[in-house]
C-alpha cells in the first residue's frame, strides 16, 4: 500500500518553472540564443549546469566558453532567479496543492521533496510549506540528475519506505522517467505529449485529490 508521496517542486507546488524559463531566456538572449517554450520543456527537472549546456548546444555555442565562464553565466541566471523568488508568498502555491498536502498529512502519509533545485528549501520557506515535508533530498549530494531515479530512490530511503510504496508527482518528462525507473507510481501534471509516460496524468494541480489518485494506483 502507499505510504509516501514524493513531490517535485518547480511546476508542481508552485509556478517557478516560469521563473526559470524567464531567467534562462534573458541569459540566452545576451549570447544571441533564442529559447522557446517547446525547447524549455527539455530544461524542466534538469540541473542548473546541465540546463546551461543544453542551451549553449541549442545555440550551437557549446565550445565557445570556458568552464569558468559557464560558472559565471549560471550564477548570473541564478541571481535573476533568486530575485524573482524573493517576492514569493503563500499565494504562489498552485491551486489545489495546499488542500492536497493537508489531506495527506491528515491521513499520516510521509512527504518528501525531490527537486533538482538548490533553491528548493528557500522556496518552501517562502510558501510556508517547510513543515509539511518529512524529508528534502539535497540535490548537491547526488551522482546523477533526473531522468536517473536516484533522487526519488534517495527520498524514499530518507523516508524509510520502499520505492514501490511511493507515489511521485512531476511536471517534467525527465521527472516522470525518473519516477518510473524508481518503480513508483507516477502522477504527471501537464500536457499529453510531455506527460505521455505518466501512470496518471492531470491537466492541472487542481486534480490532485487523494481518493482519485489512490484509486488509480490499485
Ligand atoms: C528544477 C527545475 O526543479 O531545478 C529546473 O525544473 C532547474 O528548471 C533545476 O534548472 C535546478 O534549479 P536551481 O534552482 O538549482 O538552479
Ligand atoms: Mg518541475
Amino acid at each position: 500500500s502507499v505510504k509516501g508521496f514524493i513531490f517535485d517542486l518547480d511546476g508542481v507546488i508552485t509556478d517557478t518553472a516560469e521563473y526559470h524559463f524567464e531567467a534562462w531566456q534573458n541569459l540566452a538572449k545576451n549570447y544571441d540564443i533564442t529559447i522557446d517554450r517547446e525547447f524549455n520543456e527539455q530544461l524542466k527537472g534538469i540541473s542548473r549546469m546541465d540546463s546551461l549546456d543544453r542551451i549553449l548546444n541549442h545555440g550551437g555555442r557549446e565550445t565557445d566558453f570556458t568552464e569558468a565562464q559557464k560558472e559565471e553565466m549560471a550564477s548570473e541566471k541564478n541571481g535573476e532567479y533568486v530575485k524573482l523568488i524573493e517576492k514569493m508568498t503563500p499565494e504562489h502555491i498552485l491551486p489545489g496543492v495546499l488542500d492536497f498536502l493537508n489531506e495527506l498529512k491528515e491521513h499520516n502519509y510521509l512527504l518528501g521533496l525531490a527537486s533538482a533545485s538548490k533553491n528548493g528549501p528557500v522556496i518552501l520557506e517562502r510558501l510556508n510549506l517547510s513543515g509539511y515535508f518529512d524529508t528534502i533530498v539535497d540535490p548537491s549530494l547526488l551522482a546523477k540528475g533526473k531522468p536517473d531515479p536516484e533522487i526519488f530512490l534517495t527520498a524514499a530511503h530518507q523516508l524509510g519506505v520502499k520505492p514501490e510504496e511511493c507515489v511521485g508527482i512531476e511536471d517534467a518528462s525527465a521527472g516522470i522517467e525518473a519516477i518510473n525507473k524508481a518503480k513508483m507510481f507516477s502522477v504527471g501534471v501537464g500536457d499529453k505529449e510531455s506527460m505521455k509516460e505518466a501512470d496518471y496524468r492531470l491537466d492541472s494541480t487542481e486534480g490532485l485529490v487523494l481518493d482519485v489518485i489512490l484509486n488509480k494506483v490499485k
Side-chain angles (χ1 to χ4, degrees):
S1 64
V2 177
K3 293 186 179 153
F5 282 79
I6 302 177
F7 286 77
D8 172 47
L9 172 69
D10 296 317
V12 169
I13 291 173
T14 183
D15 202 12
T16 35
E18 270 306 303
Y19 295 169
H20 280 294
F21 179 46
E22 198 180 315
W24 279 130
Q25 241 183 349
N26 289 336
L27 182 97
K29 220 171 12 193
N30 298 337
Y31 301 94
D32 294 318
I33 301 171
T34 313
I35 57 176
D36 60 13
R37 279 183 187 279
E38 195 193 337
F39 173 76
N40 186 54
E41 280 304 311
Q42 297 174 42
L43 303 180
K44 291 186 179 174
I46 306 302
S47 76
R48 198 180 305 164
M49 281 313 274
D50 287 348
S51 297
L52 177 61
D53 282 335
R54 287 185 190 206
I55 290 166
L56 295 178
N57 224 14
H58 180 67
R61 303 205 56 181
E62 62 276 17
T63 56
D64 292 359
F65 306 97
T66 63
E67 279 310 307
Q69 285 173 317
K70 290 203 288 182
E71 289 290 346
E72 183 58 39
M73 291 155 92
S75 82
E76 191 181 323
K77 178 267 176 181
N78 191 55
E80 186 183 344
Y81 182 71
V82 165
K83 273 194 202 130
L84 292 169
I85 60 179
E86 270 167 13
K87 300 188 188 87
M88 291 179 79
T89 68
E91 285 178 22
H92 291 82
I93 299 170
L94 282 168
V97 171
L98 193 59
D99 285 343
F100 184 51
L101 292 173
N102 281 320
E103 210 182 1
L104 293 174
K105 287 318 260 184
E106 265 165 45
H107 292 85
N108 297 315
Y109 286 100
L110 292 167
L111 266 57
L113 192 79
S115 170
S117 174
K118 293 177 177 159
N119 294 298
V122 174
I123 294 171
L124 283 189
E125 279 296 311
R126 299 227 46 102
L127 299 175
N128 250 337
L129 293 179
S130 304
Y132 284 86
F133 288 86
D134 299 287
T135 200
I136 297 175
V137 177
D138 178 353
S140 67
L141 302 177
L142 303 172
K144 289 178 178 168
K146 300 168 188 177
D148 190 276
E150 185 181 9
I151 193 166
F152 284 95
L153 293 172
T154 304
H157 182 77
Q158 288 179 192
L159 289 175
V161 295
K162 294 189 191 117
E164 306 88 272
E165 295 169 330
C166 295
V167 172
I169 308 170
E170 264 288 353
D171 72 316
S173 76
I176 294 293
E177 195 179 327
I179 297 170
N180 292 345
K181 284 182 180 153
K183 304 234 179 321
M184 297 179 183
F185 185 85
S186 56
V187 176
V189 183
D191 61 73
K192 283 194 178 123
E193 178 53 28
S194 22
M195 293 296 107
K196 60 174 183 279
E197 303 295 333
D199 293 319
Y200 177 49
R201 187 190 71 85
L202 300 168
D203 278 317
S204 101
T205 50
E206 281 163 297
L208 290 169
V209 176
L210 182 58
D211 286 354
V212 180
I213 294 173
L214 290 178
N215 268 314
K216 301 285 174 187
V217 178
K218 280 174 198 161

